[in-house]
């Protein structure tokens, strides 16, 4: 242990993860907490970290209130519809009413925004999306965070939250290690804002072997945002609501600009509109939800999946018509160059010119996120002016642990935030965290050296395990006394894939499969005590795996609890194939007892606040 230096930092606001939400939180914390010590800790380097690392071509959440384009209520209705009724409307409304101001700051900071030449407004890709030249989106928001923080720590992975030993259920900071130096870092902090992104690679990806990193979602998003709070007993919500994406095959290039701006459309291998074919069958499963406009994302996936199972694949995107227009052809290619260069490379390597060949689409493996067309994450307090009592406990975006806040993919129940909404939610969380400190709620926090030392031993244990166990390697990487992070990851992915509704079963699961999945996950957890790391990079992999495994347990517990198929196309409960509004028009909330490791689950009412508020105003 002596070879790993321990470095201490005491601060007021600690931001874990410097992605979109983390940079927003760091920026806003300085605005409200002029004299406070604000630290941001990032696993990679904030200039190019998180889901926006490579850039984006569109900001997917902008109301346009200055031009009367949309109002927050409209966005709440849109997100609610897309998530089959299940969202926290207070959180969604709160984000939507502030998101435009965030986008205006991006504009001021130099993000190149496309403008409609006739109106001078931001150029719309769709009702909610505006188009940008966004290759440098991430460095631009990172600069705002760098100018705001007392210090940004790059290359440090946070592995555990510290808890206050003076007052129960209060956070005391976080610990982690530097992946380059091997130093152990202790951040004692009055508040912690977790903004560590979502989770890829908990389900087996379609691309395996050397292509394994080619997933739709960033491969470095490893579920820390969920594992950190779950481990200390924070409540989580909607963790069953994993997302499956319909994207261009193999490169996972985005389809939004294609559908919305280029007006391309999909068809089956026989050139038919297959979505229509599945209308009656879908209506049987979900009732009138199939008649909603726009069709919820999961239901469009459902038609795709059913058509493929029925032998109608491959499914194609019809690009050959739109690409005859030179302007649209340019937009089609630039769309990838600004955010998913890999898709252009895949097409080049497969001799696909979308002007002459309609490219194939696929449905991805499932991911866990809180900011896209899905809303898994932490159960947080809403804002005081909007939230009903069940949804409010003092500080906006505070988890059920005092002083612990969340934003972006971390926060559950509020879908369709995207990049701008995640940054906005970071700002909201930071404002509340500063207020929490000013209200003296963080006074007297006690974190003993013992707590810090115990974590130090636990964090570096995989290095020790490998040191000893490498002597027993029988061949290649096989040892009877340790498992490597990649071996553990592949085992986790198979369990999730085969038992919890991954691609192996066409997203199908049931109570018995989930029960078996939970047993296998429990054994994996036991074996992960023996994970070995040969260097600091593998140590990061070991901790990423542990966070993924804990996240997976929570996802599986939630999937088991919700006895209906709420989102066909994201996953199916074969033993409860229908949407069941009588029993399941509710949010699911879980808590893992940190002492026993056992999960308990409950139903919480979903309130349709927008309509209720409108009724109040009218009366
Ligand atoms: C493929 C893809 C395409 C998208 N396209 C669009 C689009 O076109 N338009 C749009 O507006 N939005 C888009 N989004 C959504 C947008 O990217 C997300 O909503 C947003 O990035 C979420 O912000 P976040 O801060 O929660 O997560 P991220 O931005 O992913 O940030 C999480 C950060 O936490 C760090 N981290 C993780 N674990 C740890 C740890 N243990 N310790 C320290 N740091 C850690 C990560 O390195 C990362 O920097 C897209 C998302 C994806 C995945």
């Amino acid at each position: 242990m002596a070879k790993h230096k321990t470095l201490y930092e005491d601060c007021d606001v600690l931001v874990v993860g410097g992605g979109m939400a983390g940079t927003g939180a760091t920026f806003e914390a300085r605005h409200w907490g002029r004299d406070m010590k604000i630290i941001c800790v990032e696993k990679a380097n904030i200039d190019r970290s998180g889901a926006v690392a490579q850039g984006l071509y569109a900001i997917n959440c902008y109301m346009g209130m200055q031009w009367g384009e949309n109002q927050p209520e409209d966005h709440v209705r849109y997100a609610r519809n897309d998530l089959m009724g299940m969202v926290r409307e207070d959180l969604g409304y709160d984000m939507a009413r502030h998101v435009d101001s965030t986008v205006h700051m991006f504009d001021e900071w130099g993000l190149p925004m496309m403008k409609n030449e006739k109106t001078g407004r931001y150029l719309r890709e769709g009702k909610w999306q505006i188009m940008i030249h966004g290759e440098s989106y991430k460095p631009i928001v990172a600069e705002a965070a760098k100018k705001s923080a007392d210090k940004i720590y790059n290359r440090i992975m946070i592995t555990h939250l510290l808890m206050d030993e003076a007052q129960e259920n209060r956070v005391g900071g976080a610990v982690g290690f530097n992946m380059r130096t091997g130093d152990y870092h202790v951040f004692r902090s009055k508040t912690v804002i977790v903004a560590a992104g979502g989770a890829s690679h908990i389900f087996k990806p379609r691309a395996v072997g050397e292509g394994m990193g080619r997933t739709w979602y960033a491969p470095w998003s490893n579920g820390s945002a969920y594992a950190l709070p779950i481990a200390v007993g924070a409540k989580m919500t909607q963790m069953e609501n994993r997302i499956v994406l319909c994207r261009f095959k193999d490169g996972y290039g985005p389809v939004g600009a294609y559908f919305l701006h280029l007006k391309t459309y999909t068809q089956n291998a026989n050139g038919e509109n297959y979505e229509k074919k599945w209308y009656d069958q879908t209506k049987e499963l979900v009732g009138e939800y199939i008649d909603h406009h726009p069709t919820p994302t999961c239901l469009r996936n459902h038609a795709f999946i059913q058509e493929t199972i029925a032998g109608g694949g491959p499914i194609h995107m019809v690009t050959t018509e739109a690409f005859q227009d030179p302007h649209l052809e340019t937009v089609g290619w630039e769309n990838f160059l600004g955010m998913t260069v890999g898709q252009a490379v895949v097409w080049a390597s497969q001799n696909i010119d979308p002007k002459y060949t309609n490219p194939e689409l696929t449905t991805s493996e499932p991911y866990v996120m809180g900011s896209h067309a899905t809303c898994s994450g932490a159960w947080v307090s809403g804002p005081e002016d909007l939230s009903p009592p069940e949804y409010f406990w003092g500080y906006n975006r505070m988890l059920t642990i005092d002083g612990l806040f969340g934003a972006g993919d971390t926060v559950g129940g509020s879908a369709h935030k995207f990049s701008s909404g995640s940054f906005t939610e970071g700002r909201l969380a930071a404002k509340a965290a500063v207020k929490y400190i000013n209200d003296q709620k963080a006074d007297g926090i006690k974190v003993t050296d013992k707590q810090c030392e115990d974590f130090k031993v636990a964090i570096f244990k995989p290095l020790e395990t490998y040191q000893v166990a490498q002597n027993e390697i029988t061949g290649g990487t096989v040892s009877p006394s340790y498992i490597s992070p990649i071996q553990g990851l592949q085992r986790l992915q198979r369990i999730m894939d085969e038992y919890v509704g991954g691609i192996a079963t066409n997203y199908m699961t049931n109570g018995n499969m989930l029960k078996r999945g939970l047993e296998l996950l429990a054994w994996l957890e036991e074996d992960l005590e023996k994970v070995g790391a040969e260097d600091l990079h593998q140590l990061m992999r070991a901790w990423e795996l542990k966070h993924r495994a804990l996240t997976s347990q929570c996802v599986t517990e939630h999937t088991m609890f919700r006895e209906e198929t709420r989102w066909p196309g994201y996953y199916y409960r074969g033993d409860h194939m229908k949407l069941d509004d009588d029993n399941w028009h509710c949010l699911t909330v879980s808590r893992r007892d940190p002492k026993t490791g056992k999960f308990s689950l409950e139903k919480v009412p979903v309130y349709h606040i927008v309509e209720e508020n409108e009724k109040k105003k009218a009366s």
Side-chain angles (χ1 to χ4, degrees), residues 16-22 41-44 49-52 56-61 137-138 156-159 195-198 216-218 220-222 224-225 228 339 369 371-372 407-410 417-420 422 547:
V16 177
M20 286 310 294
V41 184
E42 165 57 46
K43 188 171 76 163
S49 70
V52 180
L56 294 178
Y57 201 66
I59 288 176
N60 282 354
C61 185
Y137 193 1
K138 191 63 212 304
I156 291 181
M157 179 175 183
I158 293 296
T159 54
W216 169 78
Y217 193 14
W220 49 83
S221 294
N222 67 288
S224 294
L228 292 168
M339 61 194 276
M369 300 179 74
S371 70
H372 212 273
D409 282 319
T410 307
K417 294 176 283 210
F418 293 99
S419 60
S420 46
S422 296
H547 286 184

Side-chain angles (χ1 to χ4, degrees), residues 64-118:
M65 282 184 273
Q66 60 174 324
W67 300 306
E69 291 178 335
N70 297 293
Q71 295 303 322
E73 293 82 347
D74 305 326
H75 192 263
V76 170
R77 287 194 188 93
Y78 165 68
R80 176 212 296 164
N81 173 54
D82 198 46
L83 272 290
M84 308 289 279
M86 299 300 111
V87 286
R88 278 276 303 269
E89 297 189 8
D90 57 333
L91 300 179
Y93 188 96
D94 192 30
M95 178 279 298
R97 67 181 165 179
H98 293 294
V99 72
D100 283 9
S101 70
T102 289
V103 174
H104 299 158
M105 287 195 308
F106 294 163
D107 194 352
E108 277 169 34
W109 296 342
L111 180 67
M113 322 283 290
M114 294 191 208
K115 297 267 169 67
N116 180 321
E117 280 173 15
K118 284 196 200 111

Side-chain angles (χ1 to χ4, degrees), residues 138-159:
K138 191 63 212 304
I140 288 171
V141 296
E143 196 181 329
K146 284 194 272 190
K147 285 182 174 151
S148 305
D150 284 270
K151 187 157 182 185
I152 306 269
Y153 283 89
N154 288 314
R155 305 285 171 203
I156 291 181
M157 179 175 183
I158 293 296
T159 54

Side-chain angles (χ1 to χ4, degrees), residues 577-590:
M577 271 302 278
K578 290 196 178 180
L579 180 145
D580 177 2
D581 260 342
D582 289 342
N583 295 301
W584 290 99
H585 195 92
C586 63
L587 301 167
T588 56
V589 173
S590 69

Side-chain angles (χ1 to χ4, degrees), residues 50 128 243 250 291 347 397 428 495 583:
W128 307 104
I243 185 170
D250 299 331
D291 298 320
W347 281 354
R397 267 62 177 189
L428 294 167
I495 298 169
N583 295 301

